[in-house]
Amino acid sequence: MNHKIILVSLATVILGFSTLVAHAEDPLLSWNDGPAKQAILEFVKTTTTEGSPQFVPSEARIATFDQDGTLWVEHPMYTQVTYCLERVPALVKEKPELKNKEPFKTVLSGNREAIAKLSTDQLVEILGATLSGMSVDEFSSEAKTWLSEAKDPRWKRPYTELTYQPMQELLRYLRANGYKTYIVTGGGQDFVRVYANQTYGIRPEEVVGTAGETKFGYDKNGKPFLTKEPKLLLNDNGVGKPEGIYLMIGRRPFAAFGNSTGDRQMLEYTKAGDGARLAMLVLHDDAEREYAYGPAQGLPDTKVGTFTQALYDEAKKNGWTVISMKNDWKTIFPFENK
Amino acid sequence: MNHKIILVSLATVILGFSTLVAHAEDPLLSWNDGPAKQAILEFVKTTTTEGSPQFVPSEARIATFDQDGTLWVEHPMYTQVTYCLERVPALVKEKPELKNKEPFKTVLSGNREAIAKLSTDQLVEILGATLSGMSVDEFSSEAKTWLSEAKDPRWKRPYTELTYQPMQELLRYLRANGYKTYIVTGGGQDFVRVYANQTYGIRPEEVVGTAGETKFGYDKNGKPFLTKEPKLLLNDNGVGKPEGIYLMIGRRPFAAFGNSTGDRQMLEYTKAGDGARLAMLVLHDDAEREYAYGPAQGLPDTKVGTFTQALYDEAKKNGWTVISMKNDWKTIFPFENK
């Protein structure tokens, strides 16, 4: 080996090593430098450094995350709503009397325009009918199968791949610093629990969501099982988020993350605690790499994930940090790095 | 120092050391050798030894414990009922219209015999009135104060000292082997959460109990808070135990511990899972060191903690282990060792 080759090799090793060091040093690689990234780093430093006046003991470190639009894509339709719509044919097979009854008839027609026009009440009826009446194990197994087969029409990938890389890094970074990370979602608790561990490293008991009642009973062999009932127990949206947090976690988070008016009360509740509290809102302002909707900052108003200008103003007034997907995120999806 | 002294010192050191080794080797020191202790050791070994056909991965290791009568004394009255009765004077001060109204009038009279005769409906009315109408923080602070002052009339000690030493060892032993330990109680979730961490090392989110609704709102300064509402959300007893476990934990326990018919469905649900499952019932058969009541095995029937002969028979038939306080427990309370 001549000297030149040795030098080049050495340079490669050193450069490689520097890259490794840079990786090791930056837990938020997919975040651009800016106020959002800074707010996270500062919060973690101030709450986890012993002797810091705002130090938080490890057993009190709780961080809560909305899911749809905060951890993964929610447009053009919540994934769980897609699941329920696609489950209607199987439901009608079990209950043929629904075939000619609205709103099931419209769903069966496959007319996308008509389906998009279904009212909230009609959607709730579809959700209630497709998410209840089976045992909890049957539900979980059906949802798992669907998730392994279904694909998002734009990216042609399983929905569970459409999580945001910067938020995945944030989850891992908080956990590495002793925070327990919870999902607090308006979506179905049972549905999210099916994939949360594999997708986010969040265990079933760390998912707080909209939940229906279950009913304990015995099958014909005397074996006990739980049936999903069509009765709402916890509507985990808006005021339901702090209420659900109190029910399931029993204490106030130190950090909370959302993206819509449904997360407002969770962020208010979090910020009302003593000491350092972090509240952040993801703003979908990147029509090219993901979607742009709001209507904060003049973005288009849509049916899902409404981020109003009033919420934006409240965030600015109360020291919440707005994350601009366009400016704060270097990468959107994990698969971009592959 | 002559030889005799040296020998005695050496013997002391050796004996001391042997005792230490014995402590280190036996995680269940307060348990007598017998089928109950054996069942626990065997269960932990078979579910945590890699390569064992019944090995359980650490993220699935869930153990649930009833509280009253299983982890601490429940006689002659559940601690929380005592708390509610003792809170009646303060309630009447706030709401003088209750002074001459039953059942509050009887409670205020201090007539123990009459109080003991209150019906279940009347007790529920007292519980509802004394456990709601305040903010969750006010409740928690009042309960904490009461627990630091109140004493059990028989042992003249704070209620939180009346936990069972063998069960404390069992909780620690399971946790040391990767199990998450939960309390699943018919008692109030909020009440138990106030002391569970300090008393058992069980955090608020690891307490599943009977829970009322809360309501999100703002105080006059615009600060958000939660109020305890007099509306039942989860009745965590009997069938409510597996339902509560599904709601809050989202999966089936591998081990469950109780002491009454209110724990029956939790144990059935646990045992219905695949692989090795441990189900145990504490039988209060030690009138001298604690209490004896049942009415399993001919013990006296009482108002609280009913362990029927039918439950005893179901346990024997289904391979649940009955723990005899009299025969299986060397020590009952932690303070006996001090």
Side-chain angles (χ1 to χ4, degrees):
Chain A
M1 200 186 272
N2 66 31
H3 281 95
K4 204 176 161 187
I5 291 176
I6 290 175
L7 277 176
V8 170
S9 303
L10 260 178
T12 313
V13 168
I14 290 167
L15 280 173
F17 185 71
S18 313
T19 314
L20 269 178
V21 170
H23 278 248
E25 273 175 359
D26 187 354
L28 302 174
L29 259 187
S30 303
W31 293 71
N32 288 316
D33 289 330
K37 183 171 181 170
Q38 207 46 50
I40 297 166
L41 294 172
E42 185 57 35
F43 168 78
V44 169
K45 193 180 161 196
T46 196
T47 59
T48 63
T49 307
E50 293 245 21
S52 152
Q54 302 191 309
F55 177 76
V56 176
S58 63
E59 69 269 19
R61 293 182 199 160
I62 303 282
T64 55
F65 292 79
D66 168 59
Q67 189 197 212
D68 293 303
T70 299
L71 294 179
W72 76 352
V73 174
E74 64 184 349
H75 255 255
M77 197 181 265
Y78 297 125
T79 302
Q80 190 178 7
V81 175
T82 307
Y83 169 74
C84 291
L85 292 174
E86 296 194 3
R87 230 196 142 257
V88 167
L91 175 74
V92 169
K93 214 170 167 180
E94 284 165 41
K95 298 183 177 177
E97 69 273 20
L98 297 178
K99 198 177 169 181
N100 292 307
K101 213 185 144 228
E102 289 297 354
F104 306 98
K105 196 179 161 185
T106 297
V107 177
L108 289 171
S109 76
N111 182 336
R112 279 169 177 267
E113 220 165 290
I115 293 169
K117 276 182 191 152
L118 290 172
S119 70
T120 306
D121 281 353
Q122 286 180 311
L123 279 178
V124 168
E125 194 180 344
I126 293 163
L127 266 61
T130 51
L131 296 174
S132 66
M134 69 291 282
S135 79
V136 300
D137 292 338
E138 280 163 8
F139 167 77
S140 159
S141 142
E142 277 162 13
K144 199 172 281 180
T145 303
W146 184 83
L147 283 160
S148 70
E149 293 168 353
K151 285 191 175 160
D152 174 88
R154 175 166 163 193
W155 284 279
K156 320 267 187 260
R157 287 176 178 271
Y159 291 99
T160 48
E161 289 189 19
L162 299 183
T163 66
Y164 305 133
Q165 173 64 17
M167 297 306 278
Q168 292 276 17
E169 291 169 7
L170 176 54
L171 286 169
R172 283 194 290 268
Y173 178 52
L174 287 170
R175 287 198 291 260
N177 283 282
Y179 276 88
K180 276 183 107 163
T181 55
Y182 282 84
I183 287 177
V184 178
T185 174
Q189 184 168 282
D190 294 0
F191 187 75
V192 180
R193 281 175 170 179
V194 169
Y195 57 86
N197 197 14
Q198 211 180 337
T199 305
Y200 305 112
I202 291 178
R203 296 185 181 181
E205 65 271 27
E206 294 158 350
V207 174
V208 181
T210 295
E213 291 192 1
T214 58
K215 195 178 168 183
F216 181 87
Y218 303 91
D219 70 13
K220 59 181 190 291
N221 301 315
K223 196 175 167 173
F225 71 104
L226 293 166
T227 304
K228 281 172 70 69
E229 297 284 290
K231 201 176 160 200
L232 189 68
L233 190 65
L234 175 66
N235 180 4
D236 200 51
N237 200 35
V239 297
K241 290 209 175 193
E243 292 165 3
I245 287 170
Y246 181 73
L247 176 69
M248 307 273 293
I249 313 178
R251 40 220 174 116
R252 197 191 298 264
F254 273 82
F257 307 85
N259 79 304
S260 82
T261 48
D263 303 311
R264 188 185 137 208
Q265 292 87 346
M266 174 169 75
L267 269 63
E268 289 174 342
Y269 183 63
T270 300
K271 266 294 201 183
D274 296 332
R277 307 271 168 168
L278 182 65
M280 301 186 94
L281 284 168
V282 175
L283 181 69
H284 293 259
D285 57 356
D286 195 330
E288 203 179 308
R289 295 189 299 170
E290 202 240 11
Y291 293 103
Y293 55 96
Q297 303 291 288
L299 297 169
D301 197 355
T302 54
K303 260 191 175 177
V304 294
T306 302
F307 190 151
T308 60
Q309 186 60 37
L311 182 66
Y312 190 93
D313 296 340
E314 183 176 352
K316 289 292 159 188
K317 190 181 148 213
N318 296 339
W320 307 353
T321 306
V322 174
I323 301 165
S324 158
M325 289 182 77
K326 196 172 176 175
N327 302 320
D328 287 314
W329 288 358
K330 214 172 282 180
T331 309
I332 305 279
F333 299 112
F335 54 77
E336 290 173 31
N337 292 331
K338 281 174 187 162
Chain B
M1 198 184 272
N2 66 31
H3 282 96
K4 202 174 161 189
I5 293 178
I6 290 175
L7 279 176
V8 170
S9 303
L10 260 178
T12 313
V13 167
I14 290 166
L15 280 173
F17 185 71
S18 314
T19 315
L20 270 178
V21 169
H23 278 250
E25 273 173 0
D26 187 354
L28 302 175
L29 258 188
S30 303
W31 293 70
N32 288 316
D33 289 330
K37 183 172 181 171
Q38 206 47 50
I40 298 166
L41 294 172
E42 185 56 35
F43 168 78
V44 169
K45 193 180 161 196
T46 196
T47 59
T48 63
T49 307
E50 293 245 21
S52 152
Q54 301 190 309
F55 178 76
V56 176
S58 64
E59 69 269 18
R61 294 182 198 159
I62 303 282
T64 55
F65 291 79
D66 167 59
Q67 189 197 213
D68 294 303
T70 300
L71 293 179
W72 76 352
V73 174
E74 64 183 350
H75 256 254
M77 197 181 266
Y78 297 125
T79 302
Q80 190 177 7
V81 175
T82 307
Y83 169 74
C84 291
L85 292 174
E86 296 194 4
R87 230 197 140 256
V88 167
L91 175 74
V92 170
K93 215 171 168 182
E94 283 165 42
K95 298 183 177 176
E97 69 274 19
L98 297 178
K99 198 177 170 178
N100 292 308
K101 212 183 145 230
E102 289 297 354
F104 305 99
K105 196 180 162 185
T106 296
V107 177
L108 288 172
S109 76
N111 181 336
R112 280 169 178 267
E113 221 164 290
I115 293 170
K117 277 183 192 151
L118 290 173
S119 71
T120 305
D121 281 352
Q122 286 180 311
L123 279 178
V124 167
E125 193 180 344
I126 293 164
L127 265 60
T130 51
L131 296 174
S132 66
M134 70 291 282
S135 78
V136 299
D137 293 338
E138 279 163 8
F139 167 78
S140 159
S141 142
E142 277 162 13
K144 199 172 279 179
T145 303
W146 184 83
L147 283 160
S148 70
E149 293 168 353
K151 286 190 174 159
D152 173 89
R154 175 167 163 193
W155 284 279
K156 320 267 187 263
R157 287 177 177 272
Y159 291 98
T160 49
E161 289 189 20
L162 299 183
T163 66
Y164 305 133
Q165 174 65 16
M167 297 306 279
Q168 292 276 16
E169 290 169 8
L170 176 55
L171 285 169
R172 283 193 291 268
Y173 178 52
L174 287 171
R175 287 198 291 260
N177 283 281
Y179 276 89
K180 276 182 106 165
T181 55
Y182 282 84
I183 288 176
V184 177
T185 174
Q189 184 168 282
D190 294 1
F191 187 76
V192 179
R193 281 175 169 178
V194 169
Y195 57 85
N197 197 14
Q198 211 180 335
T199 305
Y200 305 111
I202 291 177
R203 296 185 181 181
E205 65 271 26
E206 294 158 351
V207 175
V208 180
T210 295
E213 291 193 1
T214 58
K215 195 179 166 182
F216 180 88
Y218 303 91
D219 69 13
K220 59 182 191 292
N221 301 315
K223 196 175 167 172
F225 71 104
L226 292 167
T227 305
K228 281 171 70 67
E229 296 284 291
K231 201 176 160 199
L232 189 68
L233 190 65
L234 176 66
N235 180 6
D236 200 51
N237 201 35
V239 297
K241 290 209 176 193
E243 292 165 4
I245 287 169
Y246 182 73
L247 176 69
M248 307 274 291
I249 313 178
R251 40 219 174 117
R252 196 191 299 264
F254 274 82
F257 306 87
N259 79 302
S260 82
T261 48
D263 303 311
R264 188 185 137 208
Q265 292 87 346
M266 175 169 75
L267 269 63
E268 289 173 343
Y269 182 63
T270 300
K271 267 294 201 182
D274 296 331
R277 307 271 168 168
L278 182 65
M280 300 186 94
L281 285 168
V282 175
L283 181 69
H284 293 260
D285 57 358
D286 194 330
E288 202 180 307
R289 295 189 299 169
E290 203 240 11
Y291 293 101
Y293 55 97
Q297 304 290 287
L299 297 169
D301 197 355
T302 54
K303 260 190 174 178
V304 294
T306 302
F307 190 151
T308 60
Q309 186 60 38
L311 182 66
Y312 190 93
D313 296 341
E314 183 175 352
K316 289 291 158 189
K317 190 181 148 214
N318 296 339
W320 308 353
T321 307
V322 174
I323 301 164
S324 158
M325 289 182 77
K326 196 171 176 177
N327 302 320
D328 288 315
W329 288 359
K330 213 173 282 180
T331 308
I332 304 279
F333 299 112
F335 55 77
E336 290 173 31
N337 292 332
K338 281 174 188 164

